Amino acid sequence: MSKDKHFIGQPIFGQLLNFVDKGDIRRLAKSQQADRYIKKLDGLTHFITMLYAVIGGFDSLREVVISLLSNATKLSHLGINYSAKRSTLADANKRRASSFFGSIYKMLYKQYACVLSDSHLSKADMKRLYIMDSTTITLFKEILKGVGRNSKSGKKKGGIKAHTLIKASENTPCLIRYTGAATHDHILLKEINLAQGSIIVFDKGYVDYAAYEQFTDQGVWYVTKLKSNALYSSVQEIDIPDTADNGILIDEIIELRYGKGKELVHTARRIAYWDEQKKKVLVFLTNNTDFEAEMIIEIYRRRWQIELLFKQLKQNFPLKYFLGDNVNAIEIQIWTAMIANLLLMLVRSKVKRQWAFSNMTSLLRGQLMSYINLYSFLNDPEKTWREKNEAYKREMQLSIFPI
């Protein structure tokens, strides 16, 4: 009987955990007193259990517990020796602060951000570009206040909003904040602290002229869209070069007034552009007067990158069924999904074969506790089958033409 060419003495999930320094997590749990109110399930075991649940796509605590029990002989390969009961895991999700999982994510991001850097971004300006947006996760219980108008029934689903900042060159969140879905997006602007010369792009939901003025004072360039009902006065029109894109209609300096008595003024640049594909005029706002208008438009187009990230997270780690009905448990699960996404992006960056993220995730999800060499298999998944067929052909040839 031929041996599997991809066999290894550690399950796939254990190989994923090799990216994580277990000693660092134990030290983190100690420094944050994360084990203070939990008797049996320590921080490391809790983290590994939740990561297993998220990558495995389990919909309930019972499924998580049963799956771990069915793999009891393999748990030592994951660095744990305890399989939590359902009540114990539920209690830990309620009591252990979600910030502990957030700290694990930040630790991993700091360690691996350079590995995830996208070398295809050749322009230096794009390497200092940050993208900001938020995504709302609907909750079926009114744990957090929902957003929008009430339905005809008078009831509104709860929701949690993940405010996110990513570096365009890394495509993974470097700042995340959770609030109720009803919280306005612009609150995150107050927490942004970027180096001078950085560029940040966001949509027109982040309207805060005071924050825009602060960016200007800090030497940070922003690019956004101007709301159609914004009140402004034109100060100076900028000449449009003959070589410029024909879609650029106007390039001008404007003044936007804000404050209680509209006594404060923010000076910005307004660019109106005819988008032939969408068949409409797009109006951009920025505090940078040095970039060409085409560059400003290209920077805003890059904002779509964060939408693709949200889509990747929601498709591969569906946040529809939560393993707890309280805010802390929900935040733990979202943080864990962010960590799972980061780890799988690391795996994909180390594999030579080009994999669609969703295909790779689905494949690994079904083989999490299989003793398969992760990188060997992803680089050449047909290897064992190919060699088996070749061996079979040789046997058939020998039987037909004996020596």
Side-chain angles (χ1 to χ4, degrees), residues 146-329:
V147 66
R149 297 179 179 178
N150 289 326
S151 62
K152 292 181 180 179
S153 64
K155 295 182 179 180
K156 186 191 299 182
K157 292 177 183 177
I160 189 168
K161 185 179 285 189
H163 305 268
T164 309
L165 181 73
I166 70 170
K167 280 193 79 171
S169 60
E170 295 166 357
N171 198 34
T172 190
C174 58
L175 175 66
I176 306 169
R177 292 289 182 272
Y178 301 117
T179 66
T183 304
H184 198 282
D185 285 342
H186 81 272
I187 62 103
L188 188 63
L189 288 175
K190 298 175 182 177
E191 297 191 34
I192 301 301
N193 185 20
L194 302 178
Q196 185 176 353
S198 298
I199 308 165
I200 182 168
V201 58
F202 42 84
D203 64 22
K204 57 187 176 183
Y206 292 86
V207 180
D208 190 334
Y209 298 145
Y212 298 174
E213 185 66 22
Q214 188 175 356
F215 282 143
T216 304
D217 293 339
Q218 294 170 346
V220 174
W221 311 123
Y222 72 81
V223 176
T224 185
K225 274 187 177 179
L226 185 66
K227 281 198 167 186
S228 58
N229 61 350
L231 300 176
Y232 64 89
S233 56
S234 181
V235 176
Q236 177 191 348
E237 192 166 330
I238 300 173
D239 292 334
I240 300 174
D242 296 335
T243 56
D245 189 316
N246 292 331
I248 298 172
L249 306 177
I250 191 169
D251 192 349
E252 62 180 344
I253 303 297
I254 64 171
E255 288 184 348
L256 297 152
R257 295 193 170 274
Y258 65 99
K260 291 184 179 180
K262 303 295 181 184
E263 71 282 3
L264 302 175
V265 177
H266 174 63
T267 303
R269 180 182 179 190
R270 175 181 175 270
I271 299 169
Y273 174 75
W274 171 255
D275 190 313
E276 184 62 31
Q277 187 176 1
K278 295 181 179 179
K279 300 295 181 184
K280 66 178 184 179
V281 175
L282 306 177
V283 182
F284 302 97
L285 188 72
T286 181
N287 59 346
N288 186 295
T289 55
D290 296 328
F291 290 158
E292 294 178 353
E294 289 90 344
M295 182 68 168
I296 300 297
I297 296 166
E298 174 61 23
I299 287 173
Y300 192 82
R301 283 176 179 157
R302 288 276 179 173
R303 197 195 67 82
W304 188 246
Q305 186 175 330
I306 199 169
E307 300 288 354
L308 295 177
L309 175 63
F310 289 151
K311 184 178 180 182
Q312 176 177 298
L313 278 163
K314 289 185 174 182
Q315 282 185 343
N316 295 285
F317 311 104
L319 296 168
K320 294 181 180 179
Y321 302 99
F322 288 92
L323 307 179
D325 60 357
N326 55 84
V327 174
N328 194 70

Side-chain angles (χ1 to χ4, degrees), residues 18-259:
N18 287 338
F19 287 112
V20 183
D21 189 315
K22 297 180 179 65
D24 285 345
I25 294 183
R26 289 192 181 97
R27 285 187 287 272
L28 193 65
K30 186 176 181 180
S31 66
Q32 295 189 2
Q33 296 185 333
D35 297 336
R36 188 174 181 181
Y37 298 109
I38 295 92
K39 294 180 180 179
K40 293 183 179 180
L41 194 62
D42 63 42
L44 176 62
T45 306
H46 188 193
F47 163 70
I48 292 174
T49 302
M50 286 302 297
L51 188 63
Y52 179 76
V54 167
I55 298 179
F58 298 108
D59 296 336
S60 69
L61 291 174
R62 192 180 298 278
E63 287 183 18
V64 178
V65 171
I66 291 174
S67 180
L68 285 172
L69 287 173
S70 68
N71 291 288
T73 57
K74 304 175 183 178
L75 295 185
S76 60
H77 291 165
L78 308 181
I80 59 176
N81 54 14
Y82 173 68
S83 178
K85 293 182 179 180
R86 186 166 62 92
S87 58
T88 304
L89 186 54
D91 187 57
N93 280 342
K94 184 176 182 180
R95 291 179 178 273
R96 180 170 281 119
S98 62
S99 58
F100 171 66
F101 287 78
S103 296
I104 296 174
Y105 175 84
K106 292 168 190 173
M107 180 182 69
L108 293 173
Y109 170 79
K110 186 176 180 180
Q111 183 176 355
Y112 294 111
C114 58
V115 179
L116 296 173
S117 181
D118 188 351
S119 60
H120 296 294
L121 295 173
S122 57
K123 292 185 179 180
D125 292 321
M126 290 302 174
K127 292 187 178 180
R128 54 193 172 114
L129 173 63
Y130 292 81
I131 307 169
M132 184 167 59
D133 203 355
S134 67
T135 184
T136 300
I137 300 159
T138 302
L139 306 176
F140 289 93
K141 290 190 176 183
E142 293 186 7
I143 300 170
L144 288 166
K145 188 178 178 182
V147 66
R149 297 179 179 178
N150 289 326
S151 62
K152 292 181 180 179
S153 64
K155 295 182 179 180
K156 186 191 299 182
K157 292 177 183 177
I160 189 168
K161 185 179 285 189
H163 305 268
T164 309
L165 181 73
I166 70 170
K167 280 193 79 171
S169 60
E170 295 166 357
N171 198 34
T172 190
C174 58
L175 175 66
I176 306 169
R177 292 289 182 272
Y178 301 117
T179 66
T183 304
H184 198 282
D185 285 342
H186 81 272
I187 62 103
L188 188 63
L189 288 175
K190 298 175 182 177
E191 297 191 34
I192 301 301
N193 185 20
L194 302 178
Q196 185 176 353
S198 298
I199 308 165
I200 182 168
V201 58
F202 42 84
D203 64 22
K204 57 187 176 183
Y206 292 86
V207 180
D208 190 334
Y209 298 145
Y212 298 174
E213 185 66 22
Q214 188 175 356
F215 282 143
T216 304
D217 293 339
Q218 294 170 346
V220 174
W221 311 123
Y222 72 81
V223 176
T224 185
K225 274 187 177 179
L226 185 66
K227 281 198 167 186
S228 58
N229 61 350
L231 300 176
Y232 64 89
S233 56
S234 181
V235 176
Q236 177 191 348
E237 192 166 330
I238 300 173
D239 292 334
I240 300 174
D242 296 335
T243 56
D245 189 316
N246 292 331
I248 298 172
L249 306 177
I250 191 169
D251 192 349
E252 62 180 344
I253 303 297
I254 64 171
E255 288 184 348
L256 297 152
R257 295 193 170 274
Y258 65 99

